[in-house]
Amino acid sequence: MAAKRSGARGKRPRRISEGLQPVHEPRSEPPLSRERIVATAVDLLDAQGVDGLTMRRLADRLGSGVMSLYWHVDNKEDVFDLALDSVLEYRGPPQMVESQDWRGEVVHMLEDWRASMLRHPWSASLLPRRALGPNILSRLELLSKTLSRAGVAEADVNVAIRSLWNYVMGATITRASFDLSDDDRAAGQQRLTRLSERYPTIERSRLLLDNDWDGAFRKGLGLLLDGLSPR
């Protein structure tokens, strides 16, 4: 019996000073928080779209149980609202101050809005049917204030806001869903050429070959702001 006890003691792990490498414990996940849930939800939405976000998938990505999420968010609809608002935060250009260049401020606001939604294409489909969070409300407040300061009549501000909203949403959804290759666009233009007697104007303007989405957005916005400029 003594020999066995001696053998068991002989198998004890050596100390580090005796040459044994330290055993690293597996890293635990960061603490669960609303901020981490929202950031992970945005990543999941970017990867799999609106239909790909479920509370189970979200919990799996976070390395937690589904029920643990409900300590921080109400439900999946709450997650959608929070994720949407998080990607639409507007910080403004560097050292943004009120200036006489109201058009430049509006253009920057709306180009940033469009760019944010194009980085997260699911946001454009969610925005029309979600509660408006503080970030999008802040955008609308700043836009309204800028237009009012520019001299747009109070009775016309709501029409101006809705017109600009519709323009940004339409331009973003069209750009996000219009995914033709160069070959596809060339083939479409060739078909228009064959049908030029029926569609002479758009064939002559080579409409289907025009791929300058950013330039078209800015120029169209300029035309819209011309109509909003106080006379």
Side-chain angles (χ1 to χ4, degrees), residues 14-70:
R14 290 174 294 167
R15 291 174 299 180
I16 295 176
S17 60
E18 297 174 328
L20 184 66
Q21 293 297 319
V23 176
H24 293 285
E25 294 294 331
R27 287 175 123 186
S28 59
E29 293 289 346
L32 202 58
S33 65
R34 173 175 283 208
E35 291 74 18
R36 188 166 163 246
I37 290 171
V38 171
T40 304
V42 169
D43 290 342
L44 185 56
L45 286 162
D46 287 346
Q48 300 190 28
V50 172
D51 293 337
L53 190 147
T54 66
M55 297 302 274
R56 167 56 62 190
R57 286 176 183 160
L58 184 56
D60 288 345
R61 284 205 172 200
L62 289 162
S64 72
V66 173
M67 297 309 296
S68 298
L69 302 181
Y70 295 109

Side-chain angles (χ1 to χ4, degrees), residues 113 127 132 136 140 160-170:
W113 185 358
L127 184 55
L132 298 183
I136 187 62
L140 295 177
I161 293 294
R162 289 193 176 112
S163 298
L164 294 170
W165 173 295
N166 290 338
Y167 180 73
V168 174
M169 291 297 297

Side-chain angles (χ1 to χ4, degrees), residues 90-225:
Y90 180 61
R91 296 182 175 88
Q95 300 179 339
M96 183 174 181
V97 295
E98 290 188 357
S99 68
Q100 299 303 311
D101 183 21
W102 69 271
R103 288 177 66 116
E105 293 179 19
V106 171
V107 167
H108 187 278
M109 266 185 266
L110 299 187
E111 286 189 328
D112 177 86
W113 185 358
R114 171 177 172 265
S116 296
M117 288 194 294
L118 286 176
R119 285 194 298 270
H120 309 281
W122 50 271
S123 64
S125 63
L126 277 185
L127 184 55
R129 52 195 175 97
R130 307 306 311 176
L132 298 183
N135 283 328
I136 187 62
L137 289 175
S138 294
R139 280 182 183 266
L140 295 177
E141 172 66 18
L142 181 57
L143 184 57
S144 298
K145 185 184 296 185
T146 303
L147 292 173
S148 296
R149 181 163 47 83
V152 175
E154 186 174 347
D156 295 332
V157 169
N158 286 349
V159 173
I161 293 294
R162 289 193 176 112
S163 298
L164 294 170
W165 173 295
N166 290 338
Y167 180 73
V168 174
M169 291 297 297
T172 304
I173 291 171
T174 300
R175 177 67 187 95
S177 58
F178 202 88
D179 192 24
L180 295 180
S181 67
D182 291 344
D183 290 342
D184 289 337
R185 290 187 293 107
Q189 185 63 43
Q190 288 176 2
R191 182 170 181 270
L192 270 183
T193 300
R194 293 194 298 270
L195 299 172
S196 59
E197 290 186 5
R198 295 176 60 184
Y199 311 109
T201 306
I202 58 175
E203 190 278 329
R204 186 170 59 251
S205 69
R206 302 176 70 78
L207 174 66
L208 298 186
L209 293 181
D210 189 349
N211 200 35
D212 184 12
W213 294 96
D214 295 339
F217 177 81
R218 177 170 280 225
K219 189 168 185 177
L221 180 56
L223 295 174
L224 186 54
L225 293 179

